[in-house]
Amino acid sequence: DDISRKHLYLEQADGKYFVEDLGAANGVFINQQRIPPNTRQEVQTFFPIQVGANIFINILEEDEGRPVM
């Protein structure tokens, strides 16, 4: 249920959002689907990103070009 010190990388590029699982033991889930370790996956706005058992991140919208989470 824990998260790693370096669990995931979140980036914005070309108007899209991407998450990379950095090989964490408990993984990263996007919209309840685990993404493969050490891979980069596009995230749609409003899809929940789950880290460990109890931490959820949602990219809701943009405010002046910055994501609101």
Side-chain angles (χ1 to χ4, degrees), residues 5-61:
R5 195 172 284 195
K6 293 184 179 180
H7 202 104
L8 64 90
Y9 178 71
L10 177 64
E11 73 171 315
Q12 180 184 21
D14 300 322
K16 298 178 182 179
Y17 297 96
F18 298 90
V19 169
E20 182 178 348
D21 177 346
L22 299 177
N26 291 317
V28 175
F29 296 79
I30 298 173
N31 204 31
Q32 300 180 341
Q33 299 293 315
R34 187 171 184 163
I35 64 172
N38 302 302
T39 61
R40 184 176 177 246
Q41 181 91 21
E42 184 177 350
V43 180
Q44 300 296 321
T45 305
F46 294 103
F47 277 17
I49 303 166
Q50 182 179 351
V51 182
N54 299 309
I55 298 175
F56 292 87
I57 301 166
N58 284 310
I59 301 170
L60 302 176
E61 60 186 39

